[in-house]
Every structure is written in structure tokens, then in C-alpha cells.
Amino acid sequence: MPNIVLFSGSSHHDLSQKVADRLGLELGKVITKKFSNQETCVEIGESVRGEDVYIVQSGCGEINDNLMELLIMINACKIASSSRVTAVIPCFPYARQDKKDKSRAPISAKLVANMLSVAGADHIITMDLHASQIQGFFDIAVDNLYAEPAVLQWIRENIPEWKNGIIVSPDAGGAKRVTSIADRLNVDFALIHKERKKANEVDRMVLVGDVKDRVAILVDDMADTCGTICHAADKLIDAGATKVYAILTHGIFSGPAISRINSAPFEAVVVTNTIPQEEKMKACPKIQVIDIAMILAEAIRRTHNGESVSYLFSHVPL
């Protein structure tokens, strides 16, 4: 693939390498380091003049450092005369701060969108945005890819009794995502209505739908402290579900998440590798990973060649 350069930020080198291998490319030379006062320094180690540049950096780990590093890398490529810079952000940072849910609350997702645009990004590729309206925060093109085709494939291959399953959303916000998966598997869906007193803490839950004697599959776009999904799993078992699986696109797993999952009644908690999961898998044998590198790689290839990306909304690339 001529005229394409793929750089990796320091947030998720493993995923970047998988994407590069899939595309048959070498990762571009870039040195990211910190000065002793903790300022980020980026040195692009090869010419990008006139090239189509892709920078892979996920919103995980040291989120603010990684975001700043991405902005600096975009800007470095932009002022080195690259023809186009695309930020590939598998897990978009600050995506949950997308509306004024109370007085004086910031809309940080919009701020991040502005920062990316001002840094010089021409195009964004991301995956399962927390709310798809975030695409509207940008004036540049955004491709919001879905993990759904890979999730459907995983369910069919790894849950033997999926035809007797029921897809459950742990909150009303995810109802759309869940109905879409339920339709394509031709099974029923249920949802859990939750009331939050304050962020990251769930107050009470009400299950809407019948899960008795069925395999319940919880689907959500992200799990952070896992309070919601662990609560939901207990609720489903109480309501008579035979087994409970959880499938999440972004497994952030911060704070008490791992110990909660270990003590919750899950058969498996399945996440994609938009965020590095190696350490978490060691700490929790229930965590399994779906590799989405080929979806990102195919999106990059299609974007570079000027082809349509919409095929990826319903198919997993072979």
C-alpha cells in the first residue's frame, strides 16, 4: 500500500502491531517520551510529506497523557506536510461526558472533538461511541465502527444454547444496541431500568422481560467499575436465568471491577481489545477477548483506497 504511514501511540502498541500486520505494513518510526517535568515529547522518525497518515491511540490507561500525545502526534504530522491525518481512536476518551446532565456540567466530549480538529485531524475512525451523536460534535468525517458483527459471531460460536438465549440491556440507554443484536439472532430481548443516585453507583434496578430458564446475554458498550453489570447479573439469576454472559465493547475495568466480576455469577465476560486486557485476564479467568484489529485494519484500508466502509457495519472481514 503506497503513500500510507501507520503510527502507534503508546496507549495500545499491541493493537497497532496487529493492525499493521493485517495491512502488511511496518509501523512508522516514532519516539514518544517525557521530559523530566512530565511534558510529552514526540519525534516522528521518518518523512510523512504527502503521505496518508493513520495514528492509532486508544483512550485508556493514562487517558490525559495519551490524549495529549495523540494531539501532539497529529500536529507533528500535519506541520510536516502530510496530505491527510486520520486519528484511529478505538475507545474514544471522555465519551460519557456528552451532555449537560446537571447544572454547570461540562460537555467534555465536545471539547475533545474540538481539540482533535484544532490539532489538525482530517478524519476520525472510532468504535462503538457511547452515544452516536458524538459524531455530530465534529465538523470532520467520523467513522463510528461497530463491534456488533464480531459479537454476533462470538455468540454463535461460543454459546451452544444461544437459540434459547435472551439479550439483555443493563440500562435503557443501550436498548437500541440490544434490539439490533436480538433481531439479527432472532431471539427475544429484555432490559433493566436503573436509577442512579450519583455517577458510578447504581441505586435500584427493575427487570422488564422474561428470562426464566433461558441463557441471558448482557450487552453494553462499556463497563468501568462493573457495578451495573454485576447488579444486573444478580438480578437475572434471581429472575430464573440459567446462565449469564456479559459482552462489552470497551472493558475499562477500573477500581473494584475485577473483584466484582470474580464474585459475580458470570459464565464469561467478553470484551474487545480496544483497550489492552492482558493484565486483567491474568487477574480474572472469566474475561475473554474478541480481537477487533481486523475491523480497524479493513476500515483503514477502505478509507485509504476511497472505498465504502459501510460493509463493516454488518460483516466481519475475513
Side-chain angles (χ1 to χ4, degrees), residues 26-225:
E26 295 279 325
L27 280 175
K29 293 184 191 67
V30 60
I31 299 166
T32 54
K33 56 178 190 275
K34 280 205 175 130
F35 293 119
S36 63
N37 67 348
Q38 298 303 302
E39 283 182 11
T40 301
C41 167
V42 172
E43 293 172 16
I44 306 289
E46 59 187 76
S47 169
V48 293
R49 186 176 296 275
E51 304 280 22
D52 191 8
V53 175
Y54 293 83
I55 302 170
V56 182
Q57 179 84 303
S58 201
C60 55
E62 296 285 335
I63 292 208
N64 299 325
D65 282 349
N66 290 337
L67 176 60
M68 195 66 208
E69 182 183 287
L70 174 62
L71 297 170
I72 293 171
M73 284 174 83
I74 291 169
N75 194 247
C77 292
K78 200 69 192 169
I79 61 178
S81 307
S82 59
S83 69
R84 178 171 69 164
V85 180
T86 302
V88 182
I89 313 173
C91 180
F92 193 82
Y94 291 94
R96 283 174 285 184
Q97 298 181 39
D98 60 348
K99 57 184 173 292
K100 279 188 78 166
D101 49 1
K102 53 183 180 290
S103 301
R104 298 174 296 284
I107 305 179
S108 312
K110 169 71 173 160
L111 176 62
V112 172
N114 289 342
M115 286 160 72
L116 288 163
S117 302
V118 168
D122 301 295
H123 183 193
I124 306 289
I125 295 176
T126 183
M127 188 163 230
D128 272 352
L129 281 171
H130 188 61
S132 17
Q133 292 91 316
I134 293 173
Q135 293 170 85
F137 291 171
F138 291 90
D139 290 329
I140 54 178
V142 178
D143 283 319
N144 179 27
L145 304 172
Y146 299 114
E148 184 183 292
V151 165
L152 291 167
Q153 187 181 6
W154 190 91
I155 291 173
R156 289 194 181 105
E157 288 173 4
N158 296 281
I159 303 180
E161 56 275 30
W162 64 268
K163 287 189 168 118
N164 183 38
I166 183 163
I167 314 290
V168 186
S169 172
D171 60 3
K176 211 168 179 180
R177 181 181 293 107
V178 163
T179 46
S180 166
I181 289 178
D183 285 349
R184 293 185 57 187
L185 288 172
N186 200 16
V187 297
D188 288 340
F189 76 96
L191 61 91
I192 289 171
H193 173 65
K194 68 178 177 191
E195 292 171 1
R196 279 185 196 271
K197 285 278 184 280
K198 57 176 190 255
N200 292 57
E201 283 185 31
V202 182
D203 193 35
R204 65 186 199 98
M205 293 188 139
V206 185
L207 174 64
V208 183
D210 179 27
V211 296
K212 193 165 168 52
D213 300 329
R214 298 163 95 170
V215 176
I217 304 168
L218 277 164
V219 177
D220 207 355
D221 67 319
M222 61 168 62
D224 189 351
T225 55

